[in-house]
Amino acid sequence: MKVYQGDDVRNIGIVGHGDCGKTSALAAFLYTAGSTNRFTKVDEGNTVTDFDEEEINRKVTITSSLAYLEWNNIKINFVDTPGYNIFINDAKGVLLAADTALVVVDGVSGVEVQTEKVWGFADDYGLSRILLVNKLDKERADFSQTLKNIQEVLDRKAVAVHLPIGSEKNFQGVVDLINEKAYIYERDGGGKGRETDIPADLASDVESARESLMEAVAECDDDLLNEYLENMTLPPEKICSGLIKGISEQQIFPVVCASAVHNIGSDAVLDFLRAFAPAPTARGVYKAEGDASRSVSDGEPQSMFVYKTVADAFAGRVSYFKVVSGVLRNDDNVYNYDRGSSERFSRISLVFGKELKPVTAVHAGDLAAVAKLKNTLTGDTLGDKAHPIAYPKAVMPVPAIAYAIEPKTRNDEDRLGTSIHRILEEDPSLNFYRDPQTKEFLLAGNGQQHLEIVVSKLKKRYQVEVELHAPKIPYRETIRGSADVQGRHKKQTGGHGQFGDCKIKVGPLERGKSFEFSNEIFGGAIPKTYIPAVEKGILEAAEKGFLAGYPVVDFKVVLYDGSYHEVDSSELAFKLAGRKAFRVAMEKAKPALLEPIMKVEIVAPMDCAGDLMGDLNGRRGRIQGMETRGGNQIVRAEVPMAEMLTYANDLTSMTQGRGSFTMETGHYDFVPSQLSSKIISAAKAERGGAEEDED
């Protein structure tokens, strides 16, 4: 494999809504370029980039993967990303390594929910964008309507550089508007077109579209604008120079067209990417944290960042990285600035699906991988120890849903921690933690299917079997009223007895204030050494709850009187007195149950808004705000956690998979009385229906 300089590399992230044909498009590109000897289709389950067993079985992209091809003396790295909402955050992480986003849009469905989301990712990273209208062979596919939809929803600066020849089942080729040439393709052929005359029935459409293209190009450059206004036309070489500038500066978003599944237009798309997608060296400087930056150049100090980690059964941990500056050679020792340790890069490789192809060196701007780094994880920056720098990491949204995870056997329990942390290294959008209140281990992700795939990986890769179930709701208890009570513990035995006596006032606090304790003892009614024991007894009793065994929060206690015995009093006696005082106070202070209220943000198509609102009302939700963004409705609401356990599946059903949501804990609020009694009864039944005698 030839080692390419940064000028001759293109890094393309293929993004778009699920089922728009991203993986099929890449399969067509690889076959057209001769990188594969067979044109494979997604439904056959053996594409280069969907190689994971789960992806083959489900026929969807679950995790991003890399493949490259050589096209007219350049190397194009393609990063194939997921498009379904529960896996979409993986695209956000790997787009850091791309210089251009190839945004694939379904020629029938147009811009969809996740199309807008990945467009936003590319916008956040300042990436150039080229749009590919795919599936133009399908019934009801319409290029002009899709282009209009792109301009309305994504950006007015989108402009066609290709026009389709034929439509639906008669789609057979493309017109190159820059050079005014037409190409006809053999259906399911090698992806290389035969040049022909522009069809007469397309002449007026071509003329109109070419005028729109020239106008868009002219607006990017004053000299080109003057030339266009003077001559009302631009020669192809001027259109090309203006396009290069406009695409690089995100002033133009060109639109090309194809049918990936029938391999129509593949070479035209590759030609366009070669000519107009910016090389990594053309990005100028690569901004790092703070005011630091580094030029994408072989002559700069060595630096790179890891944008993805994969746990491979044979190679171990494989780190995918982008060299930003300098040249990385086999067996180089590179310093990890995040971990403060050195790593030896032996057997650096190019990635082609699941294959790692060794190379001797990687130049600035190129993508590669290396296996078995000791301490390096996704997001880490490495390089020359004498020239430290820190490149930005992808910030992942808070996982939308959490399930309790329970090992099936003791052996599974012993291996779970190590195994699941390997999976977490691969997928930063997951979270694994222990709930301090319920004591359950929770696995949080973007949806039930996301977590089911983790369970499947644990079993198949690491022979760890677990079960998922809905997590326990971390209810809490509090008080609505006040009480003035006495707690007295007196016990006489053969030797020293036990005596402790305290009087306390209990009252409610603002939500979220937790607990306050005040000592107002005067005159030594209780010695100072015993006062902390009273507080400790109250806190221990509060932790075990009163109504249903949930912790009691948001209350204050004032210790104002009591008595003691010179011989029989002790810290233990006053701790038990504090417990008794707390229980008596809870009986009188109007105890109540609190539930966690989640902050929820839902993004779904406008036509689903009515169903969303009705559903949220049925979940005791309170709408906090609504706004329209493109063709989507964004709803912000506060909903009890207990009502959100099945929301991921229900939202998928309501929106046909087009909706997504994020959720985080907001605050606690009172449970309605009719529900409170059911929760208390269920909790008591779970505990055996008997109160534990703690004395």
Side-chain angles (χ1 to χ4, degrees), residues 14 260 431 487 543:
I14 306 182
N431 195 7
E543 184 64 29

Side-chain angles (χ1 to χ4, degrees), residues 359-560:
V359 289
T360 57
V362 182
H363 288 262
D366 207 351
L367 309 183
V370 66
K372 299 180 180 178
L373 296 183
K374 294 178 295 183
N375 302 312
T376 300
L377 298 175
T378 301
D380 287 358
T381 301
L382 305 96
D384 183 346
K385 187 175 182 179
H387 298 86
I389 195 166
Y391 295 114
K393 301 178 184 350
V395 179
M396 293 297 174
V398 176
I401 190 169
Y403 274 76
I405 184 168
E406 191 174 326
K408 287 188 176 181
T409 68
R410 183 60 184 267
N411 285 338
D412 294 324
E413 183 178 351
D414 292 340
R415 298 197 304 269
L416 176 61
T418 302
S419 302
I420 206 159
H421 278 99
R422 288 180 184 172
I423 291 176
L424 292 175
E425 289 176 2
E426 284 190 294
D427 190 348
S429 65
L430 291 168
N431 195 7
F432 179 67
Y433 58 98
R434 189 170 190 252
D435 188 303
Q437 181 175 322
T438 65
K439 307 296 189 285
E440 290 182 311
F441 284 102
L442 300 179
L443 180 64
N446 298 319
Q448 184 175 342
Q449 189 181 13
H450 189 194
L451 302 182
E452 287 171 353
I453 287 170
V454 174
V455 171
S456 178
K457 286 181 178 179
L458 284 170
K459 182 178 180 180
K460 291 173 181 176
R461 287 188 190 176
Y462 307 108
Q463 291 74 54
V464 176
E465 294 194 54
V466 298
E467 293 178 340
L468 293 177
H469 58 82
K472 295 176 182 176
I473 306 298
Y475 292 107
R476 294 177 182 171
E477 300 175 21
T478 192
I479 55 175
R480 293 178 183 265
S482 301
D484 186 337
V485 298
Q486 180 178 15
R488 186 181 180 92
H489 175 73
K490 184 176 181 180
K491 194 170 184 180
Q492 193 64 45
T493 60
H496 285 306
Q498 296 180 27
F499 182 83
D501 177 30
C502 63
K503 294 181 180 179
I504 61 172
K505 295 177 182 177
V506 176
L509 284 176
E510 288 180 33
R511 196 67 55 240
K513 294 291 187 181
S514 188
F515 173 70
E516 287 180 6
F517 181 83
S518 300
N519 172 26
E520 294 185 1
I521 294 289
F522 293 100
I526 299 176
K528 289 182 179 180
T529 54
Y530 297 147
I531 288 171
V534 175
E535 182 181 2
K536 186 176 181 181
I538 291 169
L539 284 173
E540 286 183 357
E543 184 64 29
K544 298 193 175 183
F546 176 76
L547 290 172
Y550 299 110
V552 181
V553 296
D554 302 337
F555 68 102
K556 60 183 177 181
V557 173
V558 177
L559 174 63
Y560 70 92

